[in-house]
Amino acid sequence: MTFTEPHPPVADVAEAGWGNLWPHFTRMAAAPGPVITRGEGAYIWDEQGRRMLDGLSGLFVVQAGHGRRELAEVMAAQATELAYFPVWGYATRPALQLAERLADAAPGDLNRVFFTTGGGEAVESAWKVAKQYFKLTGRPLKHKVISRAVAYHGTPQGALAITGLPAMKQQFEPLTPGGFRVPNTNIYRASEHGDDPVAFGRWAADRIEEAILFEGPDTVAAVVLEPVQNSGGCLTPPPGYFQRVREICDAYDVLLVSDEVICAFGRHGTTFACEKFGFVPDIVTCAKGMSSGYAPIGAMIATDRIAEPFQHGKTMFPHGYTFGGHPVAAAVSLANLDIFDREGLNRRVLDNEAAFEATMRKLLDLPIVGDVRGDGYFWAVELVKDKATKQTLDAEERDLLIRGFLPAALRDNGLYCRPDDRGDPVVQVAPPLICGQAEFDEIERILRHTLTEAAALL
């Protein structure tokens, strides 16, 4: 095909284009997946005209829903006026306005906004700024990062080193040195204090102090944690956990990074999830829901204390991205946040999260469902072989269900969501924030039907 030829019908694209597209996180030998052609509200349609409830907000992204014409119009208007200019010594009005708005929304003195084009870049930037900050303040050995087992923090070499998923890293090793792991907060699988959330939270937090002391406080720069951990299936923080982590970081002069690439922008009912869970970090990383996916954008937001040593003499942060703070992405993010304010999407999540939880917990009567956990509009259903003993699925059974049966069956039954086994096998749901009880019921009904079929295969 030449660029001057007309575009072929969608069906032809599906057949021909898969030979050129390199899909992400996908087995290349697998049959081609569906081609999604449009979205409206909480629903998407494929090239065959099948409608599916978008139970994952694309990829934890489309907070305000699909097909928002006003957002498309903002993008067109900005592109007509100024489609692109970098923030390398210059600025654009949308980037300045968005930086101010994010700083106003962030807790404490998180006032300095460094734009990226996605979450992995934001995490990469956080590690780099932490290392340089300590060099500038006379503690050059502080470079290590502590994160949690099974946690995912991105694909760049630094962010991947922070990621706690060995299988995702093996093909790219050696990675950036300096990443170390501590236990996560999966109380369902807890070997310590599994019947006492407060004691379990203290135990898990104290493992961070233990790791800092083992590595040496003079060498540890940061602790990177998601407010609710994605990989492993929506692992929520036990009561008091983050308060204890904050104490530990302060005691050893270690920066606390709240990785909110998924959790920010209403997923838990607040602009930044650290607010909901009662702690103020030194750095927030965010992306995804900032624009509801209408354009790629992310950010690292740092406190005034961290930014201060960069503001003297000839000092600079020698780091940046060509498309960071892109004016079209920044403009549509501002319009997206206007929708949040006008339609009260954060308040909507807080008002509906109990109903969503109650609806999801109905699935606990299925023999294949061991646990249902999450917060806000972010939930996971853990699958087990034996409910009484919590016996998990073996490798063959995981392959059969997680990569074989469930993706196509859920799609055929009308639900797009995420079967995942980067920790224990789960099915995750995170619908757009515009959803309510009708969509919750639809999610539960489709999951019930599909998981019943899955159980029969075991």
Side-chain angles (χ1 to χ4, degrees):
M1 180 193 298
T2 68
F3 289 111
T4 58
E5 292 176 351
H7 291 294
V10 172
D12 294 339
V13 171
E15 182 176 348
W18 279 105
N20 304 113
L21 177 68
W22 196 319
H24 297 199
F25 287 104
T26 302
R27 292 181 175 180
M28 298 288 282
V35 176
I36 302 303
T37 58
R38 72 182 182 98
E40 181 179 342
Y43 292 89
I44 53 175
W45 283 260
D46 69 11
E47 81 283 5
Q48 297 178 3
R50 293 182 297 184
R51 188 184 84 155
M52 290 172 274
L53 175 60
D54 182 357
L56 203 67
S57 302
L59 194 62
F60 315 104
V61 171
V62 190
Q63 319 293 63
H66 297 276
R68 291 274 192 168
R69 180 174 293 275
E70 64 188 281
L71 296 183
E73 290 171 350
V74 166
M75 296 171 72
Q78 179 59 49
T80 300
E81 181 176 330
L82 179 66
Y84 172 74
F85 209 78
V87 293
W88 296 42
Y90 290 76
T92 65
R93 188 168 297 277
L96 291 170
Q97 292 174 332
L98 182 58
E100 180 183 21
R101 190 155 182 178
L102 293 176
D104 287 344
D109 65 340
L110 285 152
N111 292 322
R112 300 303 295 237
V113 180
F114 182 94
F115 285 115
T116 68
T117 61
E121 292 176 357
V123 173
E124 191 86 358
S125 302
W127 194 359
K128 291 179 76 173
V129 83
K131 288 194 282 189
Q132 188 177 357
Y133 167 78
F134 283 117
K135 286 179 172 61
L136 292 172
T137 55
R139 290 156 293 176
L141 296 180
K142 290 177 79 71
H143 70 283
K144 297 173 183 176
V145 172
I146 294 169
S147 59
R148 294 186 291 204
V150 193
Y152 173 78
H153 294 286
T155 57
Q157 292 285 295
L160 193 57
I162 298 173
T163 291
L165 294 160
M168 292 189 65
K169 302 191 285 188
Q170 290 169 354
Q171 302 304 318
F172 312 110
E173 292 173 331
L175 299 173
T176 304
F180 298 88
R181 238 61 60 205
V182 293
N184 59 44
T185 59
N186 186 352
I187 195 168
Y188 179 69
R189 294 288 177 186
S191 58
E192 299 274 351
H193 308 294
D195 58 347
D196 185 341
V198 174
F200 174 67
R202 176 66 184 235
W203 174 86
D206 284 348
R207 302 290 71 74
I208 294 173
E209 181 178 40
E210 185 178 82
I212 292 172
L213 291 172
F214 183 82
E215 292 300 323
D218 291 343
T219 70
V220 179
V223 172
V224 179
L225 307 172
E226 298 163 278
V228 176
Q229 184 174 316
N230 173 33
S231 292
C234 300
L235 307 180
T236 57
Y241 174 80
F242 274 111
Q243 292 69 34
R244 175 59 182 151
V245 172
R246 181 73 268 180
E247 290 175 359
I248 292 167
C249 290
D250 290 342
Y252 300 103
D253 197 14
V254 171
L255 303 183
L256 175 55
V257 180
S258 185
D259 183 356
E260 304 202 15
V261 172
I262 288 176
C263 294
F265 305 110
R267 184 55 54 190
H268 298 282
T270 51
T271 301
F272 295 102
C274 56
E275 300 174 79
K276 186 173 187 180
F277 296 108
F279 70 102
V280 178
D282 300 291
I283 297 174
V284 167
T285 59
C286 56
K288 294 188 183 287
M290 190 189 306
S291 70
S292 282
Y294 283 74
I297 191 167
M300 174 200 69
I301 308 174
T303 62
D304 291 336
R305 174 172 73 96
I306 293 172
E308 197 279 332
F310 290 86
Q311 299 178 47
H312 302 285
K314 298 180 180 180
T315 303
M316 65 176 292
F317 182 36
H319 176 61
Y321 297 100
T322 298
F323 297 110
H326 192 287
V328 174
V332 76
S333 294
L334 286 164
N336 177 58
L337 296 177
D338 286 342
I339 290 175
F340 270 73
D341 292 343
R342 186 174 69 247
E343 298 184 9
L345 293 186
N346 285 342
R347 184 72 254 170
R348 181 180 181 84
V349 171
L350 295 176
D351 288 345
N352 285 287
E353 64 178 346
F356 192 18
E357 176 179 1
T359 305
M360 291 296 295
R361 289 196 181 280
K362 291 179 181 178
L363 296 168
L364 284 167
D365 67 358
L366 296 177
I368 196 175
V369 175
D371 193 28
V372 174
R373 54 181 178 261
D375 181 85
Y377 274 33
F378 188 32
W379 287 85
V381 177
E382 182 170 334
L383 308 182
V384 293
K385 188 172 183 177
D386 188 307
K387 194 162 184 165
T389 64
K390 302 183 183 179
Q391 181 184 358
T392 192
L393 309 182
D394 62 29
E396 184 178 345
E397 291 162 340
R398 290 179 183 219
D399 207 49
L400 171 67
L401 294 189
I402 300 299
R403 281 165 290 279
F405 173 74
L406 284 172
L410 287 164
R411 181 172 67 240
D412 291 344
N413 291 331
L415 178 64
Y416 166 71
C417 60
R418 187 182 203 178
D420 186 28
D421 69 340
R422 289 174 296 174
D424 293 295
V426 297
V427 176
Q428 286 182 294
V429 293
L433 310 188
I434 59 173
C435 290
Q437 190 60 55
E439 290 79 18
F440 303 159
D441 289 339
E442 186 174 356
I443 290 169
E444 191 273 341
R445 175 181 56 78
I446 295 172
L447 284 175
R448 176 175 295 278
H449 175 73
T450 309
L451 293 178
T452 299
E453 293 180 321
L457 294 177
L458 297 177

